[in-house]
Amino acid sequence: YRLLFEHNPAPMFTYDPQTLRFMAVNRAAIAKYGYSGDEFAQLTILDIRPELDREAFHTSASEHRPRPSMTSAQHQLRDGRVIDVEVTADDLEIEGRCSTLVLARDVTDQRRLEAELHDRAFHDGLTGIANRALLADRFEHAQAVRAREQRDLAIMMIDIDDFKRINDTLGHTVGDEVLRGAALRLGGAVRAQDTVARLGGDEFAVLLDGSDLAGANELGRRLLAVFAAPFDIDGRSISVTASVGLATVETPEETWNTAQQHADIALYEAKRIGKAALHVYEVGMRSTVLDRLELTSDLQQAIARHEFVLHYQPIVSTLHPGAPVDHV
């Protein structure tokens, strides 16, 4: 036991569960925490806990958890640094004395990596705002709340008009700066309970939690206004406009895909009627848009298949039968 304790690569120590004083520490603990063996002998387990974390220790100790137990905690090193640890504890009797044996594994880097991966999974890498996954998650949460409370919910799609022109003429670096600036302006225009997200490319979305149609319309006009001032990118003034599609979420049963589709259809209509506009989704609009898209697709396929045939027909005057006219 002594050999396994002393030479374990992870910090290990024992302490008196009554006085909380350290009874023994291994080499790894001395190296990790920065205290000598004699200094540890003058300390209690609370001395290596951050001050704000000491109450949590007392609470955990009072729960009398079954042994062995594994918990997460924070420990403070001699130089003041705080590390995240996974603590495995067990009761042990040494030479007739009750003690608690602890193995503390430093998981600071692991926790930091997990936090970074979580942040990347739910935030846009370019602008730092929410991404599609986080927006969908918050939509589902808002719908769950609506199942218990009477609240309004709406979703807005925002697309920068002719953004490809900026990338093609000024370069993607300038385009990225415009996107960052747009995200910053949109975030400053919404309420605290709203969520602004970048869905990809130059398309943004806003989830309006607790906003009726009138309030959503007012916010939509504010979002259009944030693009009124040109973006200053490296001394270059760049003017852009945006189109907005708005859809209210009528029932708590409506899915994210349906709500997003309705807002996308409204956005499509806003661009069709001239861009730099706000359009609200209405029942029946979906079938109209789908019919138009289907007709467009059919025409494109007909051209590809050479299904159009050009016929020349003469125009004749009824006043002079058989005599063609030379104008239409």
Side-chain angles (χ1 to χ4, degrees), residues 150-316:
Q150 186 64 33
R151 295 171 61 173
D152 294 304
L153 188 66
I155 186 168
M156 206 176 287
M157 294 294 176
I158 305 131
D159 191 85
I160 299 177
D161 299 325
D162 301 319
F163 183 75
K164 185 176 183 298
R165 172 180 54 83
I166 296 176
N167 280 337
D168 291 345
T169 59
L170 302 177
H172 288 273
T173 300
V174 173
D176 287 348
E177 290 302 318
V178 171
L179 292 175
R180 291 190 185 97
L184 188 62
R185 292 187 185 184
L186 291 172
V190 301
R191 305 165 304 167
Q193 67 265 38
D194 300 328
T195 300
V196 178
R198 179 178 175 235
L199 304 186
D202 59 318
E203 188 175 18
F204 295 85
V206 180
L207 181 66
L208 293 81
D209 195 357
S211 178
D212 58 14
L213 182 57
N217 262 302
E218 176 59 30
L219 178 59
R221 286 190 286 271
R222 289 208 309 269
L223 296 185
L224 286 175
V226 304
F227 293 93
F231 290 88
D232 185 7
I233 309 297
D234 294 331
R236 188 195 304 267
S237 181
I238 301 174
S239 297
V240 299
T241 60
S243 299
V244 178
L246 169 64
T248 56
V249 183
E250 299 300 332
T251 68
E253 292 74 33
E254 188 169 318
T255 66
W256 160 247
N257 288 335
T258 299
Q260 182 182 5
Q261 186 182 63
H262 290 172
D264 274 331
I265 290 173
L267 175 62
Y268 175 86
E269 285 296 289
K271 284 189 171 293
R272 189 183 68 84
I273 63 178
K275 304 178 182 178
L278 168 67
H279 203 84
V280 180
Y281 176 81
E282 297 175 355
V283 177
M285 188 182 293
R286 181 175 183 272
S287 59
T288 301
V289 171
L290 291 179
D291 288 345
R292 189 180 299 115
L293 290 174
E294 184 176 355
L295 176 60
T296 301
S297 177
D298 289 344
L299 290 173
Q300 290 174 340
Q301 292 180 28
I303 293 173
R305 296 169 184 165
H306 304 287
E307 294 176 347
F308 286 105
V309 179
L310 181 62
H311 292 276
Y312 292 94
Q313 293 180 318
I315 299 175
V316 298

